[in-house]
């Protein structure tokens, strides 16, 4: 299950909807190209299963782990270093702002959808990444971060 306590809480937007930003580590038995895996996420998880929110390969730098970065999708990849590790795993950042559903309930739904996605692939599994381990500069206890907030309200230490 996606744990809200291990996620970055996104501040309420103009429409009054709060959200969450989290990173999922996907692993498969064999190596695979990360960008091809993102195509599978789009086709199978979003188009076929109907998951909500936005996703993008997780950034290498914690300063880029923002909703704006995730919302940009894969369209701007040339200047954005991504977090790569092993040839059989990929880290993907997700941002979600549920409409008409409580945030934790939406995260529970997305967790089931991730289970279904991995079952469709047959050789994949997922787990929520520990953000402070991936990005030591992140403090999940701090106030939510938004691109237009002053540095004093930033989620980074």
């Amino acid at each position: 299950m996606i744990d809200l306590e291990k996620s970055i809480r996104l501040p309420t937007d103009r429409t009054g909807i709060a959200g969450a930003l989290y990173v999922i580590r996907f692993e498969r038995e064999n190596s695979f190209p990360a960008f091809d895996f993102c195509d599978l996420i789009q086709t199978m998880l979003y188009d076929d299963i109907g998951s909500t929110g936005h996703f993008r390969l997780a950034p290498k730098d914690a300063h880029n782990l923002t909703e704006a970065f995730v919302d940009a999708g894969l369209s701007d990849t040339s200047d954005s270093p991504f977090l790569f590790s092993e040839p059989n795993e990929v880290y993907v950042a997700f941002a979600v702002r549920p409409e008409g559903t409580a945030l934790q309930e939406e995260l529970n739904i997305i967790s089931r959808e991730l289970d279904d996605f991995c079952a469709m692939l047959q050789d994949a599994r997922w787990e929520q990444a520990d953000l402070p381990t991936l990005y030591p500069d992140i403090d999940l206890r701090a106030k939510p971060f938004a691109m237009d907030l002053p540095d004093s309200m930033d989620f980074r230490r």
Side-chain angles (χ1 to χ4, degrees), residues 8 62 65 131-132 135-141 155-157:
I8 296 170
L65 188 61
L131 292 180
Y135 305 106
D137 293 340
I138 289 181
D139 181 0
L140 295 177
R141 298 166 303 201
F155 69 88
R156 297 175 289 268
R157 291 182 197 150

Side-chain angles (χ1 to χ4, degrees), residues 98-131:
E99 296 181 29
T101 307
L103 182 56
Q104 187 58 61
E105 182 181 341
E106 184 68 20
L107 293 176
N108 293 344
I109 291 168
I110 292 170
S111 295
R112 290 190 297 273
E113 292 169 346
L114 288 168
D115 288 341
D116 292 345
F117 170 67
C118 288
M120 289 169 70
L121 293 173
Q122 298 180 344
D123 69 339
R125 65 183 188 94
W126 72 273
E127 66 182 0
Q128 185 176 4
D130 181 50
L131 292 180

Side-chain angles (χ1 to χ4, degrees), residues 6-74:
K6 293 181 180 178
S7 304
I8 296 170
R9 292 175 184 256
L10 299 174
T12 303
D13 68 6
R14 290 180 191 92
T15 63
I17 299 173
L21 180 67
Y22 51 93
V23 174
I24 300 295
R25 178 186 164 273
F26 290 98
E27 182 179 352
R28 296 187 78 178
E29 291 178 19
N30 299 307
S31 65
F32 58 92
F35 290 105
D36 290 352
F37 194 77
C38 286
D39 289 340
L40 291 175
I41 292 172
Q42 180 62 52
T43 302
M44 296 171 74
L45 182 61
Y46 282 81
D47 298 344
D48 295 346
I49 295 174
S51 196
T52 59
H54 300 274
F55 73 95
R56 186 175 190 185
L57 287 173
K60 191 174 197 174
D61 185 342
H63 293 86
N64 289 328
L65 188 61
T66 64
E67 185 176 24
F69 176 85
V70 174
D71 285 350
L74 294 174

Side-chain angles (χ1 to χ4, degrees), residues 53-97:
H54 300 274
F55 73 95
R56 186 175 190 185
L57 287 173
K60 191 174 197 174
D61 185 342
H63 293 86
N64 289 328
L65 188 61
T66 64
E67 185 176 24
F69 176 85
V70 174
D71 285 350
L74 294 174
S75 60
D76 175 26
T77 59
S78 59
D79 296 331
S80 305
F82 297 108
L83 182 65
F84 291 108
S85 52
E86 301 296 325
N88 67 332
E89 69 181 10
V90 65
Y91 290 90
V92 180
F94 290 84
V96 64
R97 286 188 182 274

